[in-house]
C-alpha cells in the first residue's frame, strides 16, 4: 500500500514516518555529556533514528577554565564568545557552534535541556587577598556570597555542609568547596552567613551589575519588555535606578538571557536543595511568573512567541507536569537527592525532580534475593513518584554524571522507559573522563551504556522505540510480588473525538510490560493483560517487542493463564502488532520511505558515523555488511565507525515522499522539520494558517505538525 505527498517550498529535509492511528509524543531524555557541540551536531541523525527525542546537555556557560566540564561556573553571560579565564571557547566549543547544534537538534525534532547552575560559582574567592579582585565573577561582589571575613578584611570560604539533616547548613554552607551564593537576600535583604563568625548577618547589595552591557537587559527604563539586544547604553547610563538589582534579580535575568540566547527547551537545575524554595517562585500558582522558574517560563514564552495556554488562562506549568499535552512550557527538573528541605517545596514551585528515592529503592532490591517488587506495579509510592494534579512529577534515572552505580541496570532502564513518567538515559558518548581531584573518581562518571546499540546490544534503542510507540497513557498495575512486576499502559486520548466515546480499557490498551528480577529462573504468573483474554472472539493476539526472545506472538489468554514464562533477569513487552514496511517491497530491494525529486530517485551520499574512542571498535548498529565499507580490509582500517548512505536531495522543490507499508496500516502521517506544511495544495490537512501557526497550547491542528498523506495504490 503506497501513500505519498508532494512538497514545493525549499526545505531542509528530515521526515519521520508514523504508522499509528494516534498522535504520539512520548519522550526519552538522553543525558549526553563529554561531547563537543560540533560532534554532537553530527550525531543528530543517529539520535533521531534511535528514538531519542530530548537531550540533557552539560552547562553551556563559561566555567573556571577551558578544561572544566562546567559546574564551577564563572560567567553566566558567556557561552563561548569572550576571552576570559584563558579561553574563548568553553570545554564544548564556541557560542557559534552551540547555536548550530541547537538549530540541528530542532530540525530533527529533538528538544534540548541544558544543565543550569544557580547555587554557586567556582572555587576562587573574591577578595581572598590584596591581589584578588573583589569583582572576579562578572556582575557580583563578595557580599553576594556566604563568606567568612578575616580580621584584616579578606574573605574565606565556610565549611562544606557537615550535617545533611540540618536545613540551615544545607542552605548556608558550601557544596564541593564551591563558593556559595546567598539567595536569602531576596527575603529581607540580609545575607545570613557573611562575616567574622558562622551565622553572621550582613546587608545584601543592590547595584547596576552590568553597566557596560546593555545587551544583557530586556526591559526599557519604564519596565516595558523590548527584548535582549534592544536596550541602549544611553538607557542604562541615564536610568541606574531602573537597572539596580540584588543578587536574585541578577540570577533571574541571567537565566532569562540564557533561555533567549540558546533557544533551550528547558533546564535541569543543579543542586536545588541548597537554594531556598522561595527563590524559584510562588508555590502552587500556575499563572505566576515570579522567581527563577517563573522568569524562565516567561522568557520561554516570549522567545517562542507563545502567549496562550490550553486552559484558556495563563499557566506556565501545565505541560511541565502533564506530558500528554502539546508542550508549550519549558521543561524544568531539579536535582534534589534527599530531604531536607522537603521535595514538595520545590515541586510546588513548578519543577519536576529527579526521582532519587525511586532509583535508591531499586538499587536496594534489584538482583537481591531478599528484595521484593511488591507494590512496584503502581506509581505514587514516594514523593517524587507521586502525582501532582493527576500527573507524575518525577524524572527517572538509573545513573548519571554524578553516580555510576545502578543495580541491574538493564532492568532499571526497562522499568523507567515503559512506566509513567519521564525517563533519562545517560551516556558520555564513550569518551570516558579521567579522574578529577576530590571527585571520588572520574567526572563525569563513566556511563558504559550502549545507547546506540553498541557491542551488539540493542536493548536501549529498542526501549526508546517502545517508549515512543507504546509507553503512553495511564499506567494500570497488573501484578507485583517478590520477583515479578507487571503493568499495562492504557491511552484514552482518542476518547471524546466523536468516534471512540466511552471506549473501554481493552480498546485503549497499548502495552503490557512484564519483568522478572530472578536471575536464576524464569517466572510465570497469571497476569491480566487488559487487552482482552477471553478464549475465542475476544482474545487478543499480541507480539513481544522486547529484545528478549525476539519477535514472537502469544494470545492474551495464554498470559492470563500463566503460560508465558518471563526469562531470568529479563522482561517482555507485549502490544498489538504495528503496521510495518511492505515486506514484498523491501525484500525486492526497495526502501520503505522513498524520496523522489522531479520524479526521479535522487543519488546518495555516504558519510562516517563514529563511536567514542572508549567504545565499540566494531560499531555497526544496523548490521551493514563490512560496516558499510567496500571491503573487510577497509572496515578493519576504520575501527569505531561505520559508513551510512542516505539520499542526496539537491533542491527543495517538486519533491515526493512515498511510504510503502503493509496492508494493516490505517494511515500514514509524515512530519518535516518539526511541522512544515506539506500537503495543503493536495486539498488535505489544515489549510487555515491561523490554526497552524499558533503555539502548541492553542493550535487547532489535531496532529500538531504531522501531515496526512494521499493513498496512491495497493500492490498485491
Amino acid at each position: 500500500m503506497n501513500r505519498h505527498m508532494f512538497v514545493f517550498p525549499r526545505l531542509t529535509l528530515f521526515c519521520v514516518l508514523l504508522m499509528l492511528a494516534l498522535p504520539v509524543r512520548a519522550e526519552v531524555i538522553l543525558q549526553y555529556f563529554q561531547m563537543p557541540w560540533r560532534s554532537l551536531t553530527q550525531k543528530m541523525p543517529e539520535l533521531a533514528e534511535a528514538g531519542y527525542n530530548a537531550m540533557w546537555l552539560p552547562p553551556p556557560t563559561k566555567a573556571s577554565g577551558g578544561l572544566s566540564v562546567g559546574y564551577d561556573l564563572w560567567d553566566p553571560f558567556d557561552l563561548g564568545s569572550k576571552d576570559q579565564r584563558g579561553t574563548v571557547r568553553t570545554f564544548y566549543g564556541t557560542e557559534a557552534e552551540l547555536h548550530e547544534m541547537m538549530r540541528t537538534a530542532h530540525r530533527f525534532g529533538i528538544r534540548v535541556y541544558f544543565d543550569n547552575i544557580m547555587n554557586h560559582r567556582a572555587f576562587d574567592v573574591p577578595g581572598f587577598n590584596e591581589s584578588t579582585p573583589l569583582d572576579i565573577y562578572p556582575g557580583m561582589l563578595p557580599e553576594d556570597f556566604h563568606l567568612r571575613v578575616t580580621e584584616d578584611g579578606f574573605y574565606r570560604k565556610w565549611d562544606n555542609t557537615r550535617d545533611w539533616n540540618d536545613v540551615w547548613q544545607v542552605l548556608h554552607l558550601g557544596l564541593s568547596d564551591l563558593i556559595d551564593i546567598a539567595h536569602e537576600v531576596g527575603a529581607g535583604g540580609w545575607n545570613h552567613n557573611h562575616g567574622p563568625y558562622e551565622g553572621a548577618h550582613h546587608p545584601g547589595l543592590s547595584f547596576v551589575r552590568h553597566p557596560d552591557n546593555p545587551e544583557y537587559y530586556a526591559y526599557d527604563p519604564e519596565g516595558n519588555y523590548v527584548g535582549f539586544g534592544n536596550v541602549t547604553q544611553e538607557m542604562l547610563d541615564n536610568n541606574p535606578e531602573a537597572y539596580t538589582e540584588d543578587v536574585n534579580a541578577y540570577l533571574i535575568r541571567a537565566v532569562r538571557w540564557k533561555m533567549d540566547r540558546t533557544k533551550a527547551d528547558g533546564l535541569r537545575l543543579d543542586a536545588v536543595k541548597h537554594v531556598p524554595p522561595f527563590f524559584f517562585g510562588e508555590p502552587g500558582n500556575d499563572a505566576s511568573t515570579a522567581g527563577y522558574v517563573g522568569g524562565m517560563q516567561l522568557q520561554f514564552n516570549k522567545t517562542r512567541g507563545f502567549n496562550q495556554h490550553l486552559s484558556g488562562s495563563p499557566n506556565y506549568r501545565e505541560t511541565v507536569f502533564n506530558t500528554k499535552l502539546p508542550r508549550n512550557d519549558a521543561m524544568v527538573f531539579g536535582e534534589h537527592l534527599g530531604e531536607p528541605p522537603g521535595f514538595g517545596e520545590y515541586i510546588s514551585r513548578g519543577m519536576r525532580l529527579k526521582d532519587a528515592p525511586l532509583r535508591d529503592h531499586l538499587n536496594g532490591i534489584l538482583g537481591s534475593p531478599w528484595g521484593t517488587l511488591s507494590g512496584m506495579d503502581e506509581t505514587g509510592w514516594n514523593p517524587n513518584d507521586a502525582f501532582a494534579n493527576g500527573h507524575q512529577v518525577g524524572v527517572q534515572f538509573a545513573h548519571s554524571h554524578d553516580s555510576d552505580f545502578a543495580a541491574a541496570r538493564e532492568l532499571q532502564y526497562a522499568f523507567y522507559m515503559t512506566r509513567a513518567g519521564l525517563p533519562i538515559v545517560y551516556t558520555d558518548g564513550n569518551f570516558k573522563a579521567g579522574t578529577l581531584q576530590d571527585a571520588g573518581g572520574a567526572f563525569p562518571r563513566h556511563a558504559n551504556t550502549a545507547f546506540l546499540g553498541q557491542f551488539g546490544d540493542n536493548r536501549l534503542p529498542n526501549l526508546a522505540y517502545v517508549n515512543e510507540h507504546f509507553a503512553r497513557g495511564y499506567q494500570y498495575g497488573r501484578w507485583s510480588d517478590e520477583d515479578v512486576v507487571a503493568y499495562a499502559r492504557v491511552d484514552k486520548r482518542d476518547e471524546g473525538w466523536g468516534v471512540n466515546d466511552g471506549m473501554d480499557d481493552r480498546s485503549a490498551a497499548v502495552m503490557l510490560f512484564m519483568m522478572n528480577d530472578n536471575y536464576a529462573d524464569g517466572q510465570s504468573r497469571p497476569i491480566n493483560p487488559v487487552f482482552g483474554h477471553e478464549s475465542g472472539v475476544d482474545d487478543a493476539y499480541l507480539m513481544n517487542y522486547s529484545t528478549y526472545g525476539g519477535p514472537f506472538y502469544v494470545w492474551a489468554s495464554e498470559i492470563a493463564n500463566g503460560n508465558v514464562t518471563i526469562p531470568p533477569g529479563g522482561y517482555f513487552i507485549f502490544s498489538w502488532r504495528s503496521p510495518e514496511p511492505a515486506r514484498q517491497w523491501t525484500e525486492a530491494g526497495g526502501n520503505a520511505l522513498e524520496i523522489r525529486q522531479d520524479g526521479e530517485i535522487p543519488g546518495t551520499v555516504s558519510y562516517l558515523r563514529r563511536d567514542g574512542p572508549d567504545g565499540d571498535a566494531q560499531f555497526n548498529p544496523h548490521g551493514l555488511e563490512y560496516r558499510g565499507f567496500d571491503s573487510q580490509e577497509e572496515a578493519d582500517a576504520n575501527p569505531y565507525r561505520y559508513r551510512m548512505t542516505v539520499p542526496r536531495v539537491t533542491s527543495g522543490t517538486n519533491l515526493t515522499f512515498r511510504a510503502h507499508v503493509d496492508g494493516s496500516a490505517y494511515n500514514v502521517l509524515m512530519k518535516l522539520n518539526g511541522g512544515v506544511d506539506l500537503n495543503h495544495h493536495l486539498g488535505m490537512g489544515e489549510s487555515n494558517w491561523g490554526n497552524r501557526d499558533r503555539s502548541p497550547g492553542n493550535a487547532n491542528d489535531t496532529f500538531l505538525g504531522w501531515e496526512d498523506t494521499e493513498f496512491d495504490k495497493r500492490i498485491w
Side-chain angles (χ1 to χ4, degrees):
M1 183 170 72
N2 293 349
R3 285 184 172 270
H4 68 263
M5 60 172 61
F6 300 99
V7 182
F8 292 106
R10 186 170 299 276
L11 301 166
T12 302
L13 297 178
F14 177 70
C15 59
V16 180
L17 178 64
L18 178 69
M19 292 180 283
L20 298 173
L22 288 173
V24 179
R25 193 60 169 100
E27 183 171 335
V28 175
I29 302 172
L30 181 66
Q31 183 189 358
Y32 206 152
F33 278 34
Q34 287 292 94
M35 284 290 280
W37 305 138
R38 291 183 64 183
S39 299
L40 196 55
T41 299
Q42 297 170 355
K43 298 293 286 187
M44 293 301 173
E46 295 172 77
L47 302 182
E49 286 175 5
Y52 299 109
N53 35 34
M55 291 189 298
W56 161 18
L57 300 181
T61 39
K62 183 67 60 66
S64 60
L67 299 179
S68 170
V69 298
Y71 289 90
D72 49 340
L73 176 61
W74 195 267
D75 185 356
F77 290 90
D78 183 359
L79 297 168
S81 61
K82 299 180 186 178
D83 188 359
Q84 58 179 337
R85 301 301 293 174
T87 178
V88 173
R89 303 170 62 88
T90 68
F91 180 72
Y92 308 101
T94 66
E95 182 175 353
E97 292 166 346
L98 182 151
H99 290 315
E100 179 60 22
M101 181 273 295
M102 292 295 294
R103 284 190 292 268
T104 306
H106 287 161
R107 281 204 303 271
F108 280 83
I110 297 175
R111 296 171 176 141
V112 179
Y113 312 137
F114 285 113
D115 216 326
N116 185 80
I117 315 300
M118 69 276 135
N119 169 67
H120 54 259
R121 287 296 179 260
F123 302 98
D124 300 63
V125 178
F128 184 83
N129 54 36
E130 61 273 2
S131 62
T132 308
L134 296 175
D135 59 350
I136 57 174
Y137 298 103
M140 304 185 78
L141 290 173
E143 289 80 2
D144 294 324
F145 300 98
H146 294 135
L147 292 174
R148 180 170 67 87
V149 182
T150 67
E151 291 183 357
D152 48 4
F154 297 125
Y155 299 92
R156 299 289 186 270
K157 299 173 191 174
W158 293 115
D159 295 340
N160 289 326
T161 300
R162 301 180 295 269
D163 181 357
W164 295 97
N165 292 313
D166 185 328
V167 174
W168 189 92
Q169 290 191 30
V170 170
L171 295 177
H172 297 90
L173 293 183
L175 172 68
S176 300
D177 205 36
L178 295 157
I179 184 169
D180 198 58
I181 297 174
H183 302 86
E184 68 273 11
V185 298
W190 289 84
N191 183 328
H192 293 176
N193 196 19
H194 185 100
Y197 56 89
E198 190 173 290
H201 283 42
H202 190 284
L205 293 187
S206 293
F207 58 96
V208 179
R209 293 175 178 265
H210 291 102
D212 301 319
N213 298 100
E215 68 276 13
Y216 295 165
Y217 296 86
Y219 287 84
D220 68 16
E222 286 72 42
N224 301 306
Y225 180 79
V226 295
F228 290 100
N230 295 313
V231 173
T232 66
Q233 187 66 54
E234 183 180 13
M235 292 179 187
L236 205 57
D237 292 341
N238 295 337
N239 302 277
E241 70 288 345
Y243 298 100
T244 295
E245 301 168 311
D246 63 20
V247 68
N248 286 352
Y250 151 78
L251 293 170
I252 293 169
R253 176 168 55 86
V255 78
R256 290 187 61 173
W257 179 88
K258 177 193 285 186
M259 294 297 294
D260 186 73
R261 189 83 168 191
T262 65
K263 307 300 184 290
D265 301 286
L267 297 177
R268 179 264 191 185
L269 304 181
D270 182 68
V272 297
K273 66 178 286 183
H274 298 273
V275 180
F278 79 83
F279 170 75
F280 295 104
E282 294 184 29
N285 187 347
D286 294 335
S288 174
T289 58
Y292 198 75
V293 172
M296 175 182 43
Q297 294 289 10
L298 177 63
Q299 191 59 52
F300 176 82
N301 278 262
K302 287 185 176 297
T303 297
R304 303 299 176 98
F306 296 171
N307 56 15
Q308 299 234 359
H309 288 254
L310 293 165
S311 61
S313 60
N315 188 322
Y316 296 97
R317 303 177 182 180
E318 60 187 341
T319 60
V320 173
F321 298 118
N322 187 354
T323 57
K324 300 179 183 68
L325 298 176
R327 184 74 54 79
N328 58 9
D329 304 300
M331 178 53 65
V332 192
F333 57 102
E335 178 202 29
H336 188 323
L337 300 182
E339 298 176 309
F343 294 122
E345 291 275 356
Y346 297 89
I347 295 170
S348 70
R349 263 76 180 184
M351 71 179 77
R352 288 175 172 262
L353 292 181
K354 289 184 66 182
D355 202 339
L358 177 59
R359 186 273 312 265
D360 294 344
H361 181 69
L362 291 180
N363 278 344
I365 63 172
L366 289 179
S368 301
W370 55 84
T372 177
L373 292 171
S374 180
M376 299 305 294
D377 58 330
E378 302 285 356
T379 59
W381 66 277
N382 78 72
N384 290 355
D385 196 45
F387 282 65
N389 298 323
H391 304 289
Q392 199 261 7
V393 300
V395 180
Q396 300 154 173
F397 69 108
H399 56 134
S400 70
H401 65 293
D402 285 321
S403 174
D404 54 7
F405 174 71
R409 182 180 297 180
E410 63 281 358
L411 296 188
Q412 285 202 46
Y413 271 127
F415 187 72
Y416 298 146
M417 294 171 75
T418 54
R419 74 195 298 268
L422 278 177
I424 296 175
V425 172
Y426 170 52
T427 183
D428 54 11
N430 288 318
F431 287 84
K432 295 184 177 179
T435 300
L436 182 66
Q437 183 179 1
D438 299 325
F443 188 82
R445 304 296 190 211
H446 297 166
N448 297 316
T449 45
F451 71 110
L452 290 175
Q454 291 93 334
F455 303 102
D457 183 357
N458 284 306
R459 284 177 294 186
L460 283 174
N462 168 255
L463 287 168
Y465 173 89
V466 166
N467 180 273
E468 175 74 14
H469 290 272
F470 306 120
R472 49 193 169 90
Y474 294 98
Q475 178 176 327
Y476 284 13
R478 298 286 88 190
W479 188 279
S480 65
D481 58 28
E482 287 78 6
D483 292 329
V484 172
V485 64
Y487 46 81
R489 300 297 297 273
V490 176
D491 189 354
K492 294 188 178 182
R493 282 178 294 175
D494 207 14
E495 188 175 31
W497 290 0
V499 291
N500 286 318
D501 291 345
M503 65 192 305
D504 57 19
D505 290 348
R506 181 184 187 277
S507 301
V510 288
M511 185 185 72
L512 174 68
F513 176 75
M514 305 162 59
M515 186 176 84
N516 175 19
D517 184 38
N518 187 323
Y519 280 76
D521 297 299
Q523 300 289 312
S524 61
R525 302 287 190 275
I527 297 170
N528 181 340
V530 182
F531 287 89
H533 57 274
E534 299 297 329
S535 298
V537 68
D538 289 331
D539 211 347
Y541 200 45
L542 304 175
M543 195 185 97
N544 169 44
Y545 277 89
S546 80
T547 56
Y548 289 84
F552 67 84
Y553 292 91
V554 299
W555 290 101
S557 58
E558 296 180 75
I559 301 172
N561 293 329
N563 296 329
V564 174
T565 300
I566 314 167
Y571 52 87
F572 286 146
I573 302 169
F574 291 108
S575 185
W576 308 106
R577 181 67 176 103
S578 287
E580 60 183 6
R583 187 173 60 194
Q584 294 88 339
W585 181 266
T586 56
E587 288 180 352
N591 291 317
L593 183 61
E594 181 181 277
I595 304 174
R596 289 181 178 263
Q597 182 175 306
D598 295 323
E600 302 293 329
I601 296 178
T604 60
V605 61
S606 296
Y607 66 100
L608 296 181
R609 293 181 172 180
R610 297 174 171 83
D611 198 16
D614 301 305
D616 182 7
Q618 303 300 315
F619 186 38
N620 189 19
H622 299 290
L624 302 175
E625 185 178 15
Y626 306 133
R627 302 204 314 278
F629 295 103
D630 294 331
S631 66
Q632 187 61 52
E633 292 76 15
E634 187 178 358
D636 293 341
N638 288 276
Y640 303 99
R641 64 199 72 188
Y642 68 96
R643 187 164 65 187
M644 189 68 174
T645 300
V646 297
R648 181 174 182 267
V649 177
T650 57
S651 173
T653 59
N654 199 21
L655 297 178
T656 303
F657 296 85
R658 187 183 302 267
H660 301 271
V661 297
D662 70 22
S664 69
Y666 176 77
N667 196 3
V668 172
L669 303 178
M670 296 188 186
K671 180 187 286 189
L672 184 67
N673 274 14
V676 173
D677 175 52
L678 299 174
N679 58 16
H680 77 273
H681 54 277
L682 299 177
M684 305 172 66
E686 179 60 70
S687 59
N688 185 326
W689 294 100
N691 292 342
R692 289 188 51 86
D693 290 353
R694 297 180 182 177
S695 69
N698 66 347
N700 293 332
D701 179 7
T702 301
F703 293 93
L704 290 175
W706 289 99
E707 299 283 337
D708 205 353
T709 53
E710 184 178 73
F711 178 76
D712 185 12
K713 60 185 176 181
R714 184 179 300 279
I715 302 174
W716 296 99

